[in-house]
């Protein structure tokens, strides 16, 4: 009875998979926030090194991974694929459940998969400093670690409510040499303007992005880096799914259902897109994005052009959105509290190739505890949405008298989220469901786009 | 350039290695705390199931690992062995450094290797409840997880200063269903007596052990469980070294030096004892235990019969000791703050087969940061003593113009020790060196033993 399916260093994928090559329609254009017209590579040059801009608009199916990135990937990759024998038994399902575990690295999540190449390409381009934001802290931690690998200075704008709630995340970033400030901060015009209006503002991912973008745009030595949403970030994460396909083959199964939790889209797309390639070629596989009911971007948002940030500094992309001024409830899955979504994921959801499901956090933590006590691993609150969706799908299959093979992405561990578990076990966790009514306001606040 | 050396599920060792079979002299007897005469198995029966008592006194070289334990080991074992290419480069050494990483499990350390079999044998013997203590929290976490695997109730007496400093550790244990109280507690006679004398007592491992032993001795459904020191605990940890030997062979090297940090002895012995088997057979390999200068049991303690706990409830063993009433300084490597040591490790130190070195915590954290920024992994403060010893040995080899192969045990991660890193990076970490003078007082306070 095999539990783990492992690959060796030499089996780390040598190229990332670019889903654009297999999509039925080309990606929607990206719009300049000032002119309302499509952006060109030169418009993005102040923010990103050209290698990443090229990946952002690339159309070839596979993009080679540089040797230097592969060497650093080998510190934490290939990641293990597990057959969840004990979880299956614990919930009494006839279905087979597999999970890919991305938490065995010091960022504690999949985020390091893109932080390493982003740091690498910036170093190669001569940039010496990165400005970025972080919500729950996973992305900021990954960028701090990757920055330390390449000797880059890293400045992290951390959503203020997380900065207060998660001192360990701040300390982790500082241990790897990063500078961390609570956002909104006094270090940017955006931050100062918001603090003037509301000195007690708790911050949001949208605001923190605005601060980091403003910082990067004003310094020639500095790039902006984003931990999700963008095409090149999604691209880097496909190592997850590429490895998982090999490992599922080792196990002798092909998944009927592939599940990832969904915030900005990167861990979901990371595991799902390499299977989408098969789906596009006719294979029968369901791809399911699991999101929080309090921030139901894919299930209740609108598919429209919108800003990625609150201060309207970022390029405008076509995506599912709850509106760029959306303020999410303070749920513990901080990494899933984003108003927008990956344009690539959004387009495939819109076209019906990807399904989305939304869950309340108490139910999600219930499944997290069941998983922890059976499989041993303490899951991140974000990743627990994928666990919960897998449990729901298994139970649904049992009720239907069928047996499914389910694969989900366990994107990170919950060591730095124990306060959330404490709230759950002591009955202090409140469910938040986003109201459909609010969505209507979004429509009136979307940017004008001239195509 | 290979970074990781991995074994598959089927390569998990099928038997534990018992060092007693290869020691030149039999282990010193264990003494009853009441009579001062050697204990028999029946004396230990109130505390432990007979299977563990048998392992405690076993003399055969290999003891088979039960199938049920192997299945649970497969959730986190085999653990990876890394070649520290980037650390070597970072410190500029010509030596080759390897490390075995035991932190990829939800207890965050090697402690789960013994918690699983201890829970298993207790379940088999019909015990339904475990009483144990924890200092820094790693052991309590491991016991909570293993207890949840076998449906055992787990009560943890957590040293009060850690209980206050490490709420995440408490929450982790509670997430896995354990009950955690600060020690000294009002739940035992020992705890109440100490609180009466000193209501603000911060607790110590010695006191917490007394409480857990008293708890277990008074309830037929309850066993006591210890996370280090005892022979059966050491035995279970040898899976580390047994795997490491296979992995070093895969890498094509045999270590000149094997290093582990040392508190009670279990992670050190876990990696070192399987190599001791070769040393006993004539192989030239140095075994080095690295301990904190503030609690220098092996380097400055006396080799004598002493109690394992403060209240003198435990059996008396011959070991290096700083005295059973020793109160260690509040260093961050909480897992290394124990007055005693494994009798097996002690005997081999006494006989010259094992070396010991002691280090101050600021130096240790310096090496920890170097390691984190080069290898990516954030090490536990305890494990960082092994890192530091490896760095020192590598530099010593460089100075001597020789090239060594060094293997150390990275026994755990530091995610729940970030406050310690915060103290270090902000210059708040104070070095404590234990004075030789205090040792003399120990000699006057040792138990009377009649042999």
């Amino acid at each position: 009875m095999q539990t783990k399916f492992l690959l060796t260093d030499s089996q780390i994928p040598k190229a990332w998979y670019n889903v654009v090559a297999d999509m039925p329609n080309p990606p929607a254009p990206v719009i300049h926030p000032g002119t309302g017209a499509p952006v060109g590579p030169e418009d993005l040059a102040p923010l990103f090194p050209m290698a990443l801009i090229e990946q952002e608009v690339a159309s070839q199916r596979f993009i080679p991974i540089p040797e230097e990135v592969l060497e650093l990937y080998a510190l934490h990759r290939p990641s293990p694929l597990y057959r969840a024998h004990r979880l299956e038994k614990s919930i009494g399902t006839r279905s087979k459940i597999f999970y890919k575990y991305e938490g065995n690295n010091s960022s504690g999540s999949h985020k390091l998969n893109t932080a390493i190449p982003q740091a690498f390409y910036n170093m190669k381009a001569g940039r010496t400093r990165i400005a970025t934001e972080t919500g729950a802290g996973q992305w900021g931690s990954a960028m701090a670690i990757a920055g330390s690998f390449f000797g880059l200075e890293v400045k992290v704008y951390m959503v203020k409510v997380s900065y207060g709630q998660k001192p360990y995340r701040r300390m982790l970033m500082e241990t790897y040499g990063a500078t961390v400030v609570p956002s909104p901060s006094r270090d940017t015009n955006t931050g100062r303007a918001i603090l003037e209006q509301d000195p007690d503002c708790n911050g949001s991912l949208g605001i923190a992005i605005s601060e980091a973008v403003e910082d990067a745009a004003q310094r020639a030595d500095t790039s902006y880096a984003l931990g999700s949403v963008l095409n090149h970030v999604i691209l880097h994460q496909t190592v997850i799914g590429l490895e998982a396909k090999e490992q599922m083959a080792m196990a002798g199964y092909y998944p009927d259902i592939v599940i990832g939790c969904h915030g900005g889209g990167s861990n979901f797309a990371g595991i799902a897109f390499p299977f989408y390639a098969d789906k596009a070629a006719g294979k029968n596989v369901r791809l399911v994005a699991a999101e929080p009911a309090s921030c139901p971007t894919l299930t209740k948002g609108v598919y429209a052009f919108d800003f990625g940030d609150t201060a309207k500094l970022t390029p405008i992309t076509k995506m599912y959105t709850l509106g760029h001024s959306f303020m999410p409830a303070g749920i513990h899955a901080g990494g899933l509290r984003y108003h927008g979504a990956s344009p690539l994921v959004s387009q495939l959801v819109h076209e019906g190739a990807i399904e989305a499901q939304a869950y309340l956090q108490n139910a999600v933590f219930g499944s997290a505890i069941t998983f922890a006590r059976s499989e041993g691993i303490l899951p991140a609150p974000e990743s627990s949405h994928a666990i919960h969706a897998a449990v729901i799908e298994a139970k649904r299959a049992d009720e239907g008298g069928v047996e499914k093979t389910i694969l989900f992405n366990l994107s990170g561990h919950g060591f730095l989220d124990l306060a959330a578990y404490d709230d759950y076990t002591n009955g202090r966790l409140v469910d938040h469901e986003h109201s459909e009514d609010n969505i209507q306001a979004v429509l009136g606040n979307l940017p004008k786009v001239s195509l």
Side-chain angles (χ1 to χ4, degrees), chain A residues 365-390:
Chain A
F365 272 92
S367 291
I369 298 266
T370 302
F371 179 85
R373 294 189 185 176
S374 52
E375 294 294 313
I377 298 171
L378 184 78
E382 292 84 358
S383 322
S384 300
H385 287 72
I387 297 172
H388 186 61

Side-chain angles (χ1 to χ4, degrees), chain A residues 17-27 59-62 234 237-238 240-245 248 254-260 265 267-289 342-355 407:
Chain A
Y17 166 69
N18 182 8
V19 76
V20 170
D22 289 317
M23 285 167 64
N25 298 300
S59 56
Q60 70 266 42
R61 185 169 281 107
F62 286 100
I234 302 290
Q237 294 295 355
T238 58
I240 303 171
L242 291 168
E243 287 179 8
K245 281 174 81 167
M248 288 301 296
Y254 191 92
D256 299 302
I257 311 169
V258 177
I259 301 170
N267 99 82
F268 166 73
I271 195 157
F273 278 5
F275 290 95
Y276 173 81
D278 297 342
K279 191 181 174 81
K283 189 99 184 173
N284 192 10
V285 52
R286 288 174 52 206
L287 309 175
V288 176
S342 149
L344 294 176
V345 171
S346 294
Q347 188 163 325
L348 289 170
V349 168
H350 185 67
E351 291 173 354
I354 292 171
E355 304 167 45
L407 166 66

